[in-house]
Structure formats: C-alpha cells, structure tokens
Amino acid sequence: MKLKQRRQLRAGFSMVEVLAVMVILAILGSLGFGTYMLVNKNARIRQAELMIENLTSNLESMVNESYTSDQLLEMGGILDGESGYPSGNGSDTSTRTLYAYLSGDYNSSGVYEEGEGEPAFPEIAPDYQGSGAYVNDKYELVDPWKTPLRYLYSEGGTGLKNNVEGGFDIWSAGPDLEFDTEDDINNW
C-alpha cells in the first residue's frame, strides 16, 4: 500500500523542475528577441541604403534629361539655376524640393494636377500605400525610422561631404535618429 501512495505523490513536477524549465525558456526567449532586434536593425539600415541609392540614381537620371521651358515653368522654381538639380540646404525640411522634383507633385499638395510630372518610382508618390513609403504627411522624404532625410545642393559647388563637382548629398540619421554620428547613412 505504501508503494502506491508514493507513486501517486510523485505524479507531478517539483517546484525546482518547473523553475529550471522557466529559466531555460527565459534564456532562449532573450536570445531569440536579441537576434530579432539585430536582424530588424540591419534590415532597416539596408533599406535606408537602398533608398538613398534609389534617390541618388533617379535624381542623376532626371537631371540629365532635357526640359522645355514650359516644363521648367510648371516646376515652379524647384530647380536651382541652370544646374538641373533641386535646391536643398541640408535642413530637416530640405527634401521637400527633392520630393517635388522626383514625385512630379511640383506644388507639394499631394494631388497631381494636369501637366505635372509622373513619380520617378512608386514609393515616392504621396498616395503610395505599401510598406516602405518614402514620404511623410509634410511631403518630406523619410528614412525607415520615419526621420526626415537631409538633402544638400549648392549651385555650382560641391556638396557638404560629396566631393564631386556639382554633386549633392543625401543622408539619413540612421538607427540612433541623430545626425552627424557614426551610424549616419549617406550617398558619399
């Protein structure tokens, strides 16, 4: 009879066993979460790099196009002099002219009017609904962390960091959301 009572009492797990399993699960969970966060951070960095490459190549491509005087008039002073580049001073709102130029929404209203251009690529259109949209509700170009990008072009000169004559700079604050730090993502 004593043997049966012992077996019945031993049927469950002890508190130590349950705690050991919980500790193991917590360790595995923290490793998995840390890995997820690292992968997510690296994916956003790569997305920002691709975004800046896309903006750079589309801007260079459009600058090399010839515009009629009527088309230039429709753009309403977006371009900086004879250069063919949109103006940009490197401030937090400096990508508004870049947005207007690349999106074809020359008055930055979010609505395409007759005679305005077409977006250079879908993600820059103000009505783009997919993930990875480049534009916020203020018609500024934003990075994957939703921080406005910076754009600098000075007529006839060089960019701030880009030493190409007539060059321009486009950069993101990166994962730390602060400009002028080591993790900035840029086109130079």
Side-chain angles (χ1 to χ4, degrees):
M1 195 69 163
K2 271 187 171 180
L3 187 60
K4 281 188 175 182
Q5 285 178 345
R6 272 194 194 152
R7 282 188 187 162
Q8 287 176 348
L9 293 176
R10 266 303 272 152
F13 295 106
S14 71
M15 184 62 81
V16 172
E17 292 169 329
V18 171
L19 287 174
V21 168
M22 289 177 64
V23 167
I24 291 169
L25 289 175
I27 290 170
L28 290 174
S30 66
L31 289 174
F33 183 73
T35 302
Y36 167 77
M37 294 303 291
L38 181 63
V39 167
N40 189 26
K41 177 183 173 185
N42 289 339
R44 285 184 176 200
I45 289 170
R46 184 65 186 138
Q47 183 182 5
E49 290 169 346
L50 290 172
M51 175 186 286
I52 289 173
E53 286 176 25
N54 194 13
L55 290 169
T56 299
S57 64
N58 276 284
L59 179 57
E60 288 171 344
S61 174
M62 288 181 71
V63 165
N64 291 326
E65 291 180 14
S66 305
Y67 293 104
T68 65
S69 57
D70 288 341
Q71 287 173 316
L72 291 172
L73 188 61
E74 287 171 9
M75 290 184 199
I78 293 172
L79 300 182
D80 190 32
E82 299 290 318
S83 68
Y85 286 96
S87 58
N89 61 7
S91 71
D92 59 343
T93 60
S94 60
T95 59
R96 287 183 183 162
T97 55
L98 187 58
Y99 155 77
Y101 183 62
L102 291 175
S103 71
D105 179 17
Y106 301 136
N107 59 8
S108 297
S109 65
V111 178
Y112 291 100
E113 296 176 9
E114 190 174 326
E116 289 188 324
E118 293 291 321
F121 48 94
E123 295 86 356
I124 201 164
D127 55 354
Y128 181 74
Q129 297 298 315
S131 64
Y134 286 23
V135 182
N136 66 13
D137 58 352
K138 298 176 185 173
Y139 306 109
E140 299 164 336
L141 301 178
V142 293
D143 63 18
W145 300 274
K146 303 300 179 204
T147 304
L149 297 172
R150 301 286 173 98
Y151 168 70
L152 176 67
Y153 176 77
S154 56
E155 186 176 359
T158 60
L160 181 66
K161 305 284 184 184
N162 183 349
N163 292 321
V164 176
E165 185 175 335
F168 57 90
D169 295 342
I170 301 174
W171 69 102
S172 161
D176 71 355
L177 309 179
E178 293 183 26
F179 285 97
D180 301 321
T181 58
E182 289 184 17
D183 71 341
D184 288 3
I185 301 164
N186 54 56
N187 70 329
W188 60 86

